Amino acid sequence: MKMFCRTDQQSICYLCSVDEHKGHDTVSAAAERTERQRELEVSRLNIQQRIQDREKDVKLLQQEVEAVSLSADKAVEDSEKIFTELIRLLQKRSSDVKQQIRSQQETEVSRVKELQEKLQQEITELKRKDAELKQLSHTEDHNQFLHNYPSVSQLSEPTDSSSINIRPLRYFEDVTAAVSELRDKLQDILRDKWTNISLTGTEMDVLLSVPEPEPKTRAEFLQYSREITLDPNTAYTYLLLSEGNRKATYTRQQQSYSSHPDRFTVWSQVLSRESLTGRCYWEVDWRGTEFRIAVAYKNISRVGSSNECGFGYNDKSWMLICSTTSYAFYFNSIRTPISGPGSSRVGVYLDHRAGILSFYSVSETMTLLHRVQTTFTQPLYAGLCFYHDGVTAEFCKLK
């Protein structure tokens, strides 16, 4: 059994090679073993590469777990400090209001008691005068009556009672109304702003302040610039990555990428390694006849030629087609033609929380090409797509 029939994939003897297996593709068992040994080594190399990739992915995921835990612990600690300060501030304001009310109460009560004491003294004086007048009225001697009357009939000036203004339970109603108004405003703020504390994917955006306005100048956009690199594990096999994985070129030569479940198998596309949330801005320089720039969710399909894999042809990606003469925007296979100045540089602005995605033609000035207003439910990834040989695109270094 020193021969091997490749046609029937079985070991045979020399006689069978000229009889039962005549005309088949036969080689020596040693030669077939050598060929299969070479394939085995290639398979082992691929497996070892996949093991390294998986171990690297596991390490990255562990780092992400640690980063998420540290970020969550810090967020809890910071938020507790902020709420403690807020509670302390409210308690301080409550104490101040209480002290002011008690101080005003003391002033008002002192004023009222002082007036009350004067009135009580006047009542006592009037009662005494009334008794004297009563006694004088019973005097039988006319001359004695007339003699005593002038001194007895004189009355002192009455106490001014015009300041007496009885307002039952209304002395401090203005304070109560002011505190009630403050409570209502705080409730409105908490109700309206609480929606700004939201979880997006695995990242949390804590935004207690009013959202900032959208940038207008390139200098303002650059404040949100992100350095983006491409993920080789997602690259189509005919895309050559270079410049530290910031540049992609569509070639006719297949690249020696290892097998990976994240790789696009038919569509000539590649995604960024970095996930994008919050406010981000990046620019891409491109050369060629046509180029496509996109953002997509990580769970976009990778295997096959269906629209579920192509940027802009499903509900998991948004794409702008750029050519030397025109633009077009695609989402969920719906095409929107766009007019704008041609440029070899395209800028992309993302405000993930606000659901804003904008594309700009960048030259000496920035021209808005298309703006999307939607709701993003997952972190996004920057994407590049190619349709013609020789086209290149590179993420620019903006810092």
Side-chain angles (χ1 to χ4, degrees):
M1 308 290 285
K2 295 184 177 180
M3 304 294 292
F4 186 82
C5 178
R6 289 178 172 173
T7 303
D8 295 331
Q9 289 293 302
Q10 68 181 60
S11 298
I12 60 175
C13 66
Y14 178 76
L15 292 177
C16 290
S17 68
V18 296
D19 184 12
E20 183 180 347
H21 294 268
K22 184 179 181 180
H24 290 188
D25 182 9
T26 60
V27 296
S28 68
E32 183 67 15
R33 164 65 188 270
T34 300
E35 181 67 22
R36 294 292 174 263
Q37 184 75 27
R38 190 161 38 244
E39 292 180 0
L40 182 148
E41 295 300 327
V42 172
S43 297
R44 286 198 64 203
L45 288 175
N46 287 335
I47 290 173
Q48 291 170 3
Q49 182 62 45
R50 289 182 64 178
I51 291 173
Q52 292 179 3
D53 290 343
R54 284 293 175 267
E55 289 177 343
K56 184 178 179 181
D57 291 341
V58 169
K59 187 176 180 180
L60 289 174
L61 289 172
Q62 181 59 36
Q63 292 175 351
E64 184 172 358
V65 168
E66 293 173 358
V68 169
S69 298
L70 288 174
S71 179
D73 292 342
K74 189 176 186 304
V76 169
E77 181 181 356
D78 292 344
S79 61
E80 284 183 346
K81 287 181 180 178
I82 292 171
F83 279 112
T84 299
E85 292 174 1
L86 181 60
I87 292 170
R88 186 183 298 115
L89 178 61
L90 289 173
Q91 289 175 338
K92 177 66 166 58
R93 290 294 179 265
S94 175
S95 177
D96 291 344
V97 170
K98 181 179 178 180
Q99 183 177 353
Q100 291 174 8
I101 291 174
R102 293 306 184 192
S103 176
Q104 188 174 351
Q105 175 191 11
E106 184 178 350
T107 300
E108 289 295 319
V109 169
S110 177
R111 181 185 65 81
V112 171
K113 284 188 174 181
E114 182 181 353
L115 179 59
Q116 186 181 26
E117 185 177 347
K118 288 182 179 180
L119 292 175
Q120 193 62 49
Q121 291 175 355
E122 185 176 345
I123 290 171
T124 302
E125 179 64 23
L126 289 173
K127 285 183 176 180
R128 185 185 61 79
K129 184 67 67 174
D130 182 61
E132 291 180 354
L133 290 175
K134 180 179 180 181
Q135 183 178 358
L136 180 60
S137 68
H138 292 94
T139 301
E140 295 182 356
D141 188 332
H142 301 310
N143 292 327
Q144 186 179 359
F145 176 88
L146 295 173
H147 175 75
N148 294 332
Y149 178 76
S151 61
V152 175
S153 62
Q154 291 181 358
L155 299 176
S156 59
E157 289 294 327
T159 301
D160 183 14
S161 59
S162 60
S163 59
I164 300 176
N165 183 17
I166 304 300
R167 297 176 297 170
L169 303 179
R170 296 182 181 180
Y171 288 100
F172 301 99
E173 64 179 5
D174 292 342
V175 177
T176 304
V179 174
S180 297
E181 183 180 358
L182 175 61
R183 177 202 60 198
D184 294 341
K185 288 183 177 180
L186 284 174
Q187 288 178 341
D188 291 341
I189 291 173
L190 290 174
R191 182 177 59 253
D192 295 341
K193 300 302 180 183
W194 194 257
T195 57
N196 292 332
I197 304 177
S198 59
L199 285 173
T200 305
T202 60
E203 299 184 15
M204 176 179 283
D205 294 329
V206 182
L207 301 170
L208 292 173
S209 59
V210 177
E212 298 179 15
E214 189 171 349
K216 299 187 183 302
T217 66
R218 188 166 183 267
E220 292 176 348
F221 279 104
L222 292 179
Q223 294 178 4
Y224 304 101
S225 61
R226 285 286 302 273
E227 185 172 342
I228 295 177
T229 57
L230 297 167
D231 185 358
N233 291 331
T234 69
Y236 179 57
T237 54
Y238 286 87
L239 291 181
L240 170 64
L241 303 187
S242 59
E243 300 296 330
N245 290 337
R246 289 187 297 105
K247 183 177 181 180
T249 304
Y250 192 21
T251 70
R252 294 186 178 182
Q253 182 178 357
Q254 188 173 16
Q255 305 302 306
S256 57
Y257 296 130
S258 62
S259 176
H260 200 283
D262 290 344
R263 191 173 311 287
F264 291 101
T265 61
V266 176
W267 289 81
S268 53
Q269 301 175 160
V270 60
L271 283 173
S272 67
R273 184 183 297 274
E274 298 80 7
S275 62
L276 303 171
T277 57
R279 294 158 70 90
C280 311
Y281 177 75
W282 63 97
E283 293 179 354
V284 176
D285 264 330
W286 68 281
R287 298 291 184 274
T289 56
E290 183 182 288
F291 159 71
R292 305 183 177 203
I293 186 169
V295 294
Y297 293 147
K298 189 174 185 177
N299 63 352
I300 188 173
S301 298
R302 313 298 175 95
V303 180
S305 59
S306 70
N307 285 351
E308 294 304 310
C309 302
F311 294 155
Y313 294 96
N314 47 68
D315 61 358
K316 297 179 180 179
S317 59
W318 296 256
M319 178 187 67
L320 181 72
I321 299 179
C322 310
S323 72
T324 55
T325 58
S326 63
Y327 298 91
F329 176 77
Y330 277 78
F331 172 69
N332 214 9
S333 297
I334 299 176
R335 181 179 185 274
T336 304
I338 298 169
S339 61
S343 174
S344 62
R345 178 172 291 201
V346 177
V348 183
Y349 171 72
L350 170 68
D351 187 340
H352 193 281
R353 185 187 65 82
I356 296 173
L357 175 66
S358 302
F359 297 89
Y360 291 85
S361 171
V362 181
S363 55
E364 294 181 358
T365 59
M366 291 184 62
T367 303
L368 177 63
L369 298 173
H370 190 69
R371 185 175 187 271
V372 176
Q373 179 70 67
T374 185
T375 299
F376 298 118
T377 59
Q378 304 174 38
L380 290 166
Y381 291 78
L384 305 177
C385 181
F386 302 84
Y387 259 64
H388 301 283
D389 293 341
V391 175
T392 66
E394 180 178 355
F395 288 98
C396 304
K397 288 186 174 182
L398 300 177
K399 292 184 178 179

